[in-house]
């Protein structure tokens, strides 16, 4: 997160999937998104039960129905109206904004393009203790998002410059409590649990909801002190 830092090869901000769009709420609610209704959902989406798409759908439903982790609240909206209703309920206000990572480029950037990114400045930070609701798109024939919020998130907007001349304003989430993380994460990152926050960028089609009175502001990230692990 420090200006001038080179990102690992393979860092990519382009959307993680294409084609799945929101459907009107009445259509989305016609077959409730639940394990009980999995056979009807497979039929609705014309999926073969043994197919990878069907297995992905089943796993998504399992994840959505799983108990909340400590400090977490989650929901899986199947329509834009449902997403907004849940966000407004959790935020306690209609005065909210939806933010995404933005890519400014003169050419289409594909997933396989090898662009090297470096952090620039200035970095923006959400105020401490800001409630962020993060919605990740899921592999499904229609738009279904896995949305969650946690009391131990810290958010930033990090500017980067690509080797192809493109610029990115990357929404960045840092986890300060990873009690529920898979131990394999720490092996991959070569770090000890609790030694520093774990941060990750969000691709351009992931959404962060925030109250308008808690929008990110400019801040300085020094090269000293505690580090950040991506």
């Amino acid at each position: 997160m420090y200006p001038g830092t080179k990102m690992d090869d393979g860092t990519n901000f382009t959307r993680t999937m294409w084609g799945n769009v929101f459907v009107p709420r009445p259509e989305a609610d016609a077959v409730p998104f639940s394990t009980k209704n999995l056979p009807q959902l497979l039929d609705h989406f014309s999926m073969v039960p043994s197919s990878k798409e069907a297995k992905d759908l089943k796993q998504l439903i399992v994840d959505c129905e799983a108990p909340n982790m400590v400090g977490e609240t989650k929901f899986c909206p199947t329509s834009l109206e449902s997403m907004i209703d849940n966000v407004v309920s959790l935020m306690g206000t209609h005065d909210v904004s939806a933010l995404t990572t933005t890519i400014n480029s003169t050419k289409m950037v594909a997933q396989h393009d090898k662009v090297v990114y470096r952090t620039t400045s200035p970095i923006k930070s959400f105020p401490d203790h800001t409630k962020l609701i993060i919605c990740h798109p899921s592999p499904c024939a229609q738009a279904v998002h896995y949305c969650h919020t946690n009391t131990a998130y810290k958010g930033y907007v990090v500017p980067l410059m690509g080797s192809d001349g493109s610029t990115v304003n990357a929404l960045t989430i840092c986890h300060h409590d990873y009690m529920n993380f898979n131990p394999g994460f720490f092996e991959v990152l070569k770090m000890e649990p609790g030694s520093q926050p774990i941060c990750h960028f969000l691709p351009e089609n992931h959404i962060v909801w925030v109250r308008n009175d808690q929008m990110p502001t400019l801040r300085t990230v020094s090269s000293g002190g505690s580090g950040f692990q991506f």
Side-chain angles (χ1 to χ4, degrees), residues 12 14-18 109-114:
N12 199 307
T14 53
R15 59 179 58 224
T16 52
M17 60 193 66
W18 300 82
V109 180
Q111 286 278 3
H112 60 268
D113 286 351
K114 292 185 178 180

Side-chain angles (χ1 to χ4, degrees), residues 126-215:
F126 291 90
D128 290 340
H129 311 298
T130 295
K131 177 179 283 188
L132 302 173
I133 299 177
I134 307 162
C135 293
H136 307 280
S138 302
C140 188
Q142 69 183 51
V144 178
H145 286 73
Y146 181 94
C147 300
H148 58 109
T149 184
N150 192 296
T151 55
Y153 294 156
K154 176 67 177 176
Y156 302 87
V157 180
V158 179
L160 301 103
M161 173 71 74
S163 56
D164 64 345
S166 62
T167 59
V168 178
N169 282 315
L171 285 171
T172 307
I173 303 299
C174 292
H175 298 257
H176 291 262
D177 178 3
Y178 20 80
M179 176 174 57
N180 299 300
F181 273 35
N182 186 316
F185 280 127
F186 306 109
E187 296 178 13
V188 171
L189 294 172
K190 298 181 175 60
M191 62 174 287
E192 293 294 325
S195 59
Q196 55 192 322
I198 294 179
C199 305
H200 61 89
F201 297 125
L202 294 177
E204 61 177 338
N205 60 332
H206 295 227
I207 305 169
V208 173
W209 291 90
V210 61
R211 293 169 55 113
N212 285 330
D213 60 359
Q214 295 183 320
M215 294 292 280

